[in-house]
Structure formats: C-alpha cells, structure tokens
Amino acid sequence: MLAIENLQNLYKREGCSPMDSISGMFMQMPVFLAMFFALRELGQAEVPSMMSGGALWFSNLCAPDPYHVLPILSVGTMVLMIELGADGMQSAPQMKLFFRGLAAVTLLVTYNFPSAVFCYWCTTNVISLTQTAMLKIPAVRAPLGIPPAVLSNEPISDANPMETTNANRSQW
C-alpha cells in the first residue's frame, strides 16, 4: 500500500499520470490505421503506378515481397524498438517476452501483405528507432527539459496475484 501511495505522490509532484505515457500512441493510432488500410487497399486494387513504383527487389508494391525481406525487416525493427525502448521493463521481463512473441506472431500474420505496407512500416519503425535512440542521449534530453531516466533493477514479486491482492485488501 505504501508503494501505491508513493507512486501516486510521485505522479502528483511531477504533474503526470500513467495515461500520459500512452496518450501519444492513441493520438497516432488513427493515422497508422488510415495509412495501413489505404496502402493495403491500393495494393489490392493494383494501381498501375504502384505496380511499377517499387525499388530494388520489390518493384511491384501491390505484390507481397517475393523474398520476404520487408516483413522480416519490419519485424526486426519492431524487436529493436522493443529492446531499445524497454528501459522500464527490467523489473517485468515477462512483458519483454510478450512483446517479442507478439513480433513473431506479427510476422506470421502479415508476411503476405503488399510490399507498400511494409515500406511504410519499415520507414516509420526506422524513424521511431532514431527518435528513441536520440532521446536516450543526455545532451538531447537536457535542452528538451526531459529529466534523466531513473532505472530500477528490482524484480517484480513472483508472489501469487491473489495473495498479493488479499494482502492489499487487508491494508485498506
């Protein structure tokens, strides 16, 4: 109970909330979904300019990548983002494993999508990787007013969740 109170006090003192960390994702979601559905539909419609507008081995953006390089590259950059941005997950290794597994499932589900979708995903993943890497540099964080990251190496208790819940209830 003390930990929860300390966390709530920290949120109040620093003027933030747990929702602040995911609000950016929710604001980006409509753009991501619109681009995904538009590119997928354009690929299925076989727009002439997209049939010859690719590069290198994927000249037809309407067709799936014949060598599956783009899907693997997309999932690879997704895993790199998980690893690079997982500073807060040291205490919850199971979350990291979940997201790695999600990346593998993503590859299996999407490998046959049009190359245009993977061009978009790879590009946005590289931009996100660059942004995440840059925001880890103290010389970049300081002028932006971002405080230094505080990392905890304390593992989350492996106690039975029901026991933990009952123990917390007794403190109410």
Side-chain angles (χ1 to χ4, degrees):
M1 190 67 173
L2 181 61
I4 293 171
E5 288 176 19
N6 288 342
L7 185 60
Q8 289 173 344
N9 290 336
L10 175 68
Y11 287 150
K12 287 178 188 174
R13 184 178 72 235
E14 298 298 328
C16 67
S17 75
M19 292 304 291
D20 290 347
S21 62
I22 60 172
S23 62
M25 180 181 69
F26 286 123
M27 290 187 316
Q28 293 174 13
M29 189 67 70
V31 174
F32 175 81
L33 290 174
M35 289 295 291
F36 167 73
F37 287 119
L39 289 170
R40 192 180 66 171
E41 291 301 316
L42 285 171
Q44 291 173 350
E46 296 189 354
V47 175
S49 63
M50 287 186 62
M51 292 180 74
S52 60
L56 305 172
W57 70 93
F58 55 96
S59 58
N60 184 354
L61 293 172
C62 295
D65 180 355
Y67 303 110
H68 302 296
V69 173
L70 289 174
I72 292 169
L73 185 63
S74 177
V75 168
T77 54
M78 180 180 173
V79 169
L80 281 174
M81 282 191 305
I82 292 166
E83 298 300 322
L84 188 62
D87 290 344
M89 286 194 221
Q90 279 89 357
S91 60
Q94 62 275 17
M95 287 300 293
K96 210 178 210 184
L97 286 174
F98 170 77
F99 285 116
R100 287 177 186 153
L102 184 63
V105 170
T106 299
L107 178 63
L108 295 173
V109 171
T110 64
Y111 77 95
N112 215 20
F113 280 10
S115 295
V117 171
F118 287 111
C119 285
Y120 169 64
W121 282 352
C122 288
T123 303
T124 57
N125 286 354
V126 168
I127 290 168
S128 294
L129 276 170
T130 304
Q131 178 184 7
T132 303
M134 293 296 291
L135 290 176
K136 288 186 174 293
I137 300 170
V140 173
R141 293 174 71 94
L144 296 173
I146 302 171
V150 178
L151 303 178
S152 171
N153 290 326
E154 295 180 23
I156 291 177
S157 170
D158 291 332
N160 180 337
M162 288 308 293
E163 290 175 12
T164 305
T165 303
N166 291 335
N168 286 340
R169 272 194 199 137
S170 68
Q171 294 177 0
W172 292 346

